[in-house]
Amino acid sequence: MSYAYLFKYIIIGDTGVGKSCLLLQFTDKRFQPVHDLTIGVEFGARMITIDNKPIKLQIWDTAGQESFRSITRSYYRGAAGALLVYDITRRETFNHLASWLEDARQHANANMTIMLIGNKCDLAHRRAVSTEEGEQFAKEHGLIFMEASAKTAQNVEEAFIKTAATIYKKIQDGVFDVSNESYGIKVGYGGIPGPSGGRDGSTSQGGGCCG
Amino acid sequence: MSMEASELQDLSDDADYAASQQQGSASMMRCDSEKRSSSSEHEGAELIYTKDNVAIHPTQFASERISGRLKLTKQDSVLFLSWIPYKGEIPNAKLSDKDRSLYTITAVPFTEVRSIKRHTPALGWQYIIVVLSSGLAFAPLYFYSGGVREFLAIVKQHVFLARSAEDTNVLLVNDFQSPLQRTLSSLELPSSLPVASGQSTYPSDGGGSSNDNRISILSQYGLRKQKSHDPTRDLSIHLLEKFSLVTKFARETTTQLFSENNGFGSIDKRRNNQPVHSYPEKLSNIAEEKHHESSHSYPETDRLDNEEISNDIDVPADPLEFNNLSLVWGKPRQSPMGREEFTAFLDSEGRVVDSKALRKRVFYGGIEHQLRTEVWPFLLGYHAYDSTYAEREYHRSVKKKEYEDLKLQWKSISAEQAKRFTKYRERKGLIDKDVVRTDRAFEYYEGDDNLNVNIMRDILLTYSFYNFDLGYCQGMSDYLSPIMFVMEDESESFWCFVALMERLGPNFNRDQNGMHTQLFALSKLVELLDTPLHNYFKQNDCLNYFFCFRWILIQFKREFEYEKTMLLWEVLWTHYLSEHFHLYVCVAILKRCRSKIMGDQMDFDTLLKFINELSGHIDLDSTVRDAEALCICAGENGAASIPPGTPPSLPLDDGILYPQDDDIL
């Protein structure tokens, strides 16, 4: 499928916060409570449309356990966007955000767009981190923020697309040299000049093909 | 894609090579001697010695030998060596006159000879290899009528010969204790596929019948650059680089024979105190011969024929001609070992009489599933091979009690205590989360409230107390899952898992040191077995081999279906050819994809994704055969590429096994 741009995303955060579930919900529109834990990295991809331009998101879903950090760091290279995920029902996953952010700042390019996601917001009765705390952390560190639920799909689509829209805007503003792939953006063939018949405006299309 | 082209890449920075390119590679063998060729038969040159029926083998097939006459002449008190092929003797249409002249040695003065390596087996062909001071080595000269000793005796009358301290079969010429020259004998030349047992059956009368084509395909190596500052090593690299200038076929032959004494048989010797031996079966195996013949007739250009060449990118040729190699060397897989066969390995009291034979059998065919519960404990080292039925029964009962005690350590932690025991809570939390994410699609673990999932949780938690320093790490449940499925007993599963972690625990070290060591060893093996691919990875910043991380961390558990994984694991756990056979499996898979990887110009990201997506598309049997071929082929050099203590080797010392950070879970 042709695309105007390809954005590389990386999903990071503590183990068990729902990184793989967010990805699956986004690419396949389903929630699978029973799936194998991630070893190393898994990949997903989906086409979305922003400003009538087809954009392919290539998403790297990483293993969250501390031991694998040294490996995970090598995946940041060339990522345009990062979804930093914590679990609103587990305080410690929120407490670890700073160290994840430090990794990201250190190993990704400085213009990487980071979206902070408080996942499992369907479990409000077990909430251990308030929305305000999430917002505050995001504000302090210059991140975009959303609470989402991979289970109910609430805000999942929005989180991925808003991140892409932010990256897209940075391209428009000339923040990136898109010919330099270290920014995690590849210019595709087809669709870059003007409206290319994007089907449904600013929302998404297509599904979970890998590629 | 010609060999020259791939060498060009490897050697582009080598001045001698550049010079050789100007001359044309055909002249390489005689570039030093050409100037003197006119004087070689001068009047005044005294004929010291002649020997007929001395041949070289320009290809891997002995039938394609070129016979000729070896001569020693002396002029102005300098001894010269020459070897001239007989005129008009073209044993095989494949060998042109050009080939013949290529190997001609025209009056090389011994002042330029650095050493002579001799090979004089009691049975079989004797040969010598002459290495020049420039580093060039001539193709081995086979004395079809014997007489190597006589030849050397005559040489010794005219030049100073000293036996190398390191290798008694290497004779240093005019070596006046120069340290530089002495190091020559410590060359670690690439070893490859000796056909030792086969060779001993060869006629020594020089009969060049078509049967001789069994001499087989040989491995050959391009450059081997060890990152070491050891000057000895540097010299050997230097020689190897020169060595690689010798034409391809000559190199194949030379390399193999040069290293015959330290070929793959010595892996067994090293690791298992077994005598050096080869595969006697190989020559009697009809299937193998068939393969052999087919490889014999392979045209050069077909060597990549079952690889998909993805586009126009010039992919450097595989220096091992891998496809042919595995056909010849990877033995056909056997059916799994059944009970009757297993029982035959046991004496009346249940001891495994010949553990090596048992491991070999498992290596080549695996184990029928019902039998795994009995054999895995041996392979994993939970039961000793020489234990009796009764001893194992007793061992089980003692261990069961021990397990229950260990389990009680965390079972007895009260809610109040747990509140004050963060590490315990965190570990338990991790394990609780992961056991419900382990093989749940597999029948044994599927469904809500699955008892086996609870047992897995208990075992992992108990293990994290048994080995508190290592604790729990993701990936452990991937190992435990098949073990539980096979052992069907909590305590037995636990102890088998413990035994496995004795070797693979370092995979889960917090500092990932065990993983990095293995990835490093893998890079060394690829460097050895596929230099062009290694160079490609190097150029594309892929030398960390992180794209093989998952393969190694959980030994391909995610790459194959459940049953195949169990088969692969028991093959790996035999440690039959190598403790690090899994690394050869990695190389085998990478080599199968080499044209795709290089042809598509994959960068790190693309490569990682590509490797990830191979999952479920790798054929196990052919991969194991390939890996076997590579392992045999790499021989001692393969073993030497793997640093001591690399998992799953047992740790080198009894120091701290699992280094701790201060801020750990």
Side-chain angles (χ1 to χ4, degrees), chain A residues 6-10 76 78-82 109 111-114 163 167 170 176 182-185:
Chain A
L6 183 146
F7 296 164
K8 172 179 169 179
Y9 276 20
I10 179 169
Y76 285 100
N109 83 70
N111 289 309
M112 182 170 78
T113 301
I114 303 174
T163 308
I167 298 166
K170 286 183 185 172
F176 298 122
S182 69
Y183 291 115
I185 297 158

Side-chain angles (χ1 to χ4, degrees), chain A residues 52-204:
Chain A
N52 281 330
K53 301 231 176 16
I55 289 173
K56 180 171 175 173
L57 302 183
Q58 187 193 79
I59 305 148
W60 295 44
D61 170 29
T62 66
Q65 190 168 350
E66 177 70 24
S67 314
F68 301 135
R69 285 280 190 106
S70 65
I71 305 288
T72 311
R73 285 179 190 124
S74 71
Y75 304 147
Y76 285 100
R77 186 168 53 180
L83 304 187
L84 172 54
V85 186
Y86 67 95
D87 174 355
I88 64 154
T89 71
R90 283 195 293 145
R91 183 87 204 167
E92 69 272 18
T93 67
F94 181 77
N95 294 341
H96 293 153
L97 288 178
S99 93
W100 283 109
L101 208 52
E102 193 185 313
D103 261 16
R105 299 273 192 235
Q106 205 171 336
H107 299 280
N109 83 70
N111 289 309
M112 182 170 78
T113 301
I114 303 174
M115 162 73 76
L116 179 66
I117 297 178
N119 191 30
K120 309 195 186 181
C121 69
D122 56 296
L123 301 175
H125 57 289
R126 282 166 46 192
R127 181 183 281 278
V129 185
S130 72
T131 309
E132 292 70 29
E133 285 174 290
E135 277 169 353
Q136 180 64 26
F137 185 90
K139 197 175 160 193
E140 277 170 21
H141 295 91
L143 318 176
I144 324 168
F145 174 68
M146 270 185 192
E147 285 192 348
S149 164
K151 188 173 181 180
T152 67
Q154 184 189 339
N155 271 348
V156 173
E157 193 83 2
E158 290 77 358
F160 281 86
I161 289 172
K162 190 166 182 190
T163 308
T166 309
I167 298 166
Y168 183 78
K169 183 160 189 308
K170 286 183 185 172
I171 296 173
Q172 302 298 98
D173 295 347
V175 174
F176 298 122
D177 169 12
V178 290
S179 65
N180 181 346
E181 287 185 2
S182 69
Y183 291 115
I185 297 158
K186 279 182 191 166
V187 180
Y189 307 99
I192 205 167
S196 62
R199 265 151 269 187
D200 38 14
S202 66
T203 58
S204 62

Side-chain angles (χ1 to χ4, degrees), chain A residues 8 15 37 41-42 65, chain B residues 437 474 550 558 605 612:
Chain A
K8 172 179 169 179
T15 178
L37 63 98
V41 63
E42 297 283 352
Q65 190 168 350
Chain B
R437 299 192 288 170
Q474 289 186 337
R550 189 172 74 187
R558 300 289 181 96
D605 283 14
N612 247 44

Side-chain angles (χ1 to χ4, degrees), chain B residues 60-313:
Chain B
Q60 60 265 50
F61 304 109
S63 60
E64 295 178 6
R65 68 180 186 194
I66 303 172
S67 296
R69 177 178 296 163
L70 185 68
K71 277 198 272 192
L72 293 174
T73 51
K74 197 166 188 179
Q75 186 168 29
D76 302 327
S77 71
V78 177
L79 191 67
F80 292 84
L81 173 100
S82 12
W83 177 82
I84 315 288
Y86 297 137
K87 282 204 169 63
E89 195 215 52
I90 302 178
N92 186 305
K94 284 182 182 171
L95 298 174
S96 62
D97 275 321
K98 187 183 152 204
D99 284 319
R100 284 154 31 84
S101 62
L102 171 62
Y103 294 103
T104 301
I105 302 171
T106 33
V108 173
F110 267 78
T111 49
E112 290 181 25
V113 174
R114 185 181 285 169
S115 70
I116 300 171
K117 172 151 177 155
R118 66 172 179 195
H119 186 73
T120 51
L123 283 170
W125 295 320
Q126 304 182 350
Y127 64 84
I128 57 164
I129 297 168
V130 178
V131 181
L132 300 179
S133 332
S134 66
L136 266 177
F138 291 111
L141 294 162
Y142 287 79
F143 286 58
Y144 268 77
S145 319
V148 165
R149 280 172 215 284
E150 184 205 359
F151 165 77
L152 292 170
I154 288 171
V155 171
K156 205 172 179 179
Q157 292 168 12
H158 300 273
V159 297
F160 179 74
L161 283 186
R163 197 169 283 186
S164 151
E166 285 96 344
D167 184 344
T168 53
N169 285 314
V170 171
L171 298 159
L172 304 172
V173 177
N174 295 323
D175 174 55
F176 299 107
Q177 302 302 306
S178 139
L180 186 68
Q181 288 212 2
R182 263 182 292 148
T183 57
L184 179 82
S185 53
S186 65
L187 287 182
E188 286 182 62
L189 283 162
S191 66
S192 64
L193 308 176
V195 232
S197 63
Q199 280 208 335
S200 63
T201 67
Y202 289 152
S204 54
D205 60 2
S209 74
S210 60
N211 289 340
D212 292 345
N213 67 12
R214 284 182 186 147
I215 188 142
S216 90
I217 258 194
L218 318 172
S219 69
Q220 51 139 117
Y221 296 88
L223 301 181
R224 201 165 74 87
K225 293 175 183 152
Q226 297 273 356
K227 282 169 196 61
S228 159
H229 301 295
D230 177 359
T232 307
R233 178 63 61 87
D234 289 344
L235 182 65
S236 76
I237 292 161
H238 182 63
L239 180 68
L240 276 169
E241 288 182 348
K242 296 300 163 102
F243 211 73
S244 71
L245 301 179
V246 181
T247 61
K248 173 171 156 288
F249 281 136
R251 182 167 69 243
E252 281 177 355
T253 315
T254 313
T255 307
Q256 187 242 354
L257 293 159
F258 213 16
S259 60
E260 198 145 82
N261 290 339
N262 50 359
F264 78 97
S266 50
I267 295 177
D268 290 325
K269 185 179 165 193
R270 221 177 85 144
R271 310 242 178 231
N272 304 318
N273 280 328
Q274 298 288 337
V276 174
H277 79 126
S278 177
Y279 286 128
E281 308 95 308
K282 195 171 292 297
L283 293 171
S284 58
N285 186 320
I286 292 163
E288 287 299 320
E289 293 223 355
K290 244 177 147 171
H291 284 309
H292 223 118
E293 276 155 27
S294 67
S295 79
H296 187 178
S297 60
Y298 262 25
E300 266 286 290
T301 48
D302 279 353
R303 64 172 164 247
L304 296 170
D305 60 357
N306 46 354
E307 284 188 28
E308 187 192 334
I309 308 245
S310 37
N311 56 30
D312 304 338
I313 302 291

Side-chain angles (χ1 to χ4, degrees), chain B residues 337-399:
Chain B
M337 176 176 70
R339 173 160 305 279
E340 209 174 304
E341 228 182 317
F342 174 60
T343 310
F345 282 104
L346 304 175
D347 69 11
S348 58
E349 292 181 296
R351 295 180 193 89
V352 175
V353 182
D354 184 350
S355 66
K356 173 111 197 280
L358 173 64
R359 291 187 295 111
K360 180 180 179 182
R361 176 64 185 88
V362 173
F363 180 84
Y364 283 109
I367 307 163
E368 278 180 10
H369 184 70
Q370 312 83 286
L371 197 58
R372 286 186 167 129
T373 180
E374 281 171 70
V375 183
W376 277 23
F378 289 116
L379 297 178
L380 289 168
Y382 169 51
H383 286 317
Y385 286 105
D386 60 0
S387 59
T388 63
Y389 292 122
E391 284 162 353
R392 291 198 287 273
E393 196 50 51
Y394 177 70
H395 187 59
R396 270 190 285 271
S397 65
V398 170
K399 286 298 189 183

Side-chain angles (χ1 to χ4, degrees), chain B residues 467-575:
Chain B
N467 189 346
F468 203 84
D469 287 350
L470 184 61
Y472 167 76
C473 181
Q474 289 186 337
M476 286 183 174
S477 64
D478 277 276
Y479 279 118
L480 180 55
S481 160
I483 289 177
M484 280 179 58
F485 175 64
V486 162
M487 298 309 297
E488 294 190 282
D489 176 274
E490 185 171 338
S491 163
E492 292 290 281
S493 299
F494 173 81
W495 290 110
C496 283
F497 179 73
V498 165
L500 181 64
M501 285 303 115
E502 286 302 301
R503 290 179 173 275
L504 293 179
N507 282 18
F508 302 108
N509 269 359
R510 220 181 120 76
D511 62 6
Q512 290 286 294
N513 191 39
M515 286 301 299
H516 288 296
T517 319
Q518 288 171 86
L519 292 168
F520 175 76
L522 173 59
S523 77
K524 289 282 135 202
L525 284 181
V526 173
E527 187 175 10
L528 178 71
L529 292 162
D530 195 338
T531 313
L533 186 63
H534 171 84
N535 291 339
Y536 178 86
F537 289 148
K538 191 174 178 182
Q539 282 154 18
N540 290 275
D541 215 2
C542 295
L543 273 191
N544 61 21
Y545 280 77
F546 282 175
F547 49 90
C548 295
F549 177 80
R550 189 172 74 187
W551 290 0
I552 290 175
L553 184 81
I554 49 176
Q555 298 205 329
F556 304 94
K557 167 80 161 24
R558 300 289 181 96
E559 321 310 319
F560 296 102
E561 57 192 67
Y562 212 79
E563 166 60 34
K564 294 281 185 193
T565 302
M566 292 190 286
L567 174 61
L568 174 60
W569 284 3
E570 58 210 13
V571 168
L572 298 178
W573 297 344
T574 62
H575 297 153

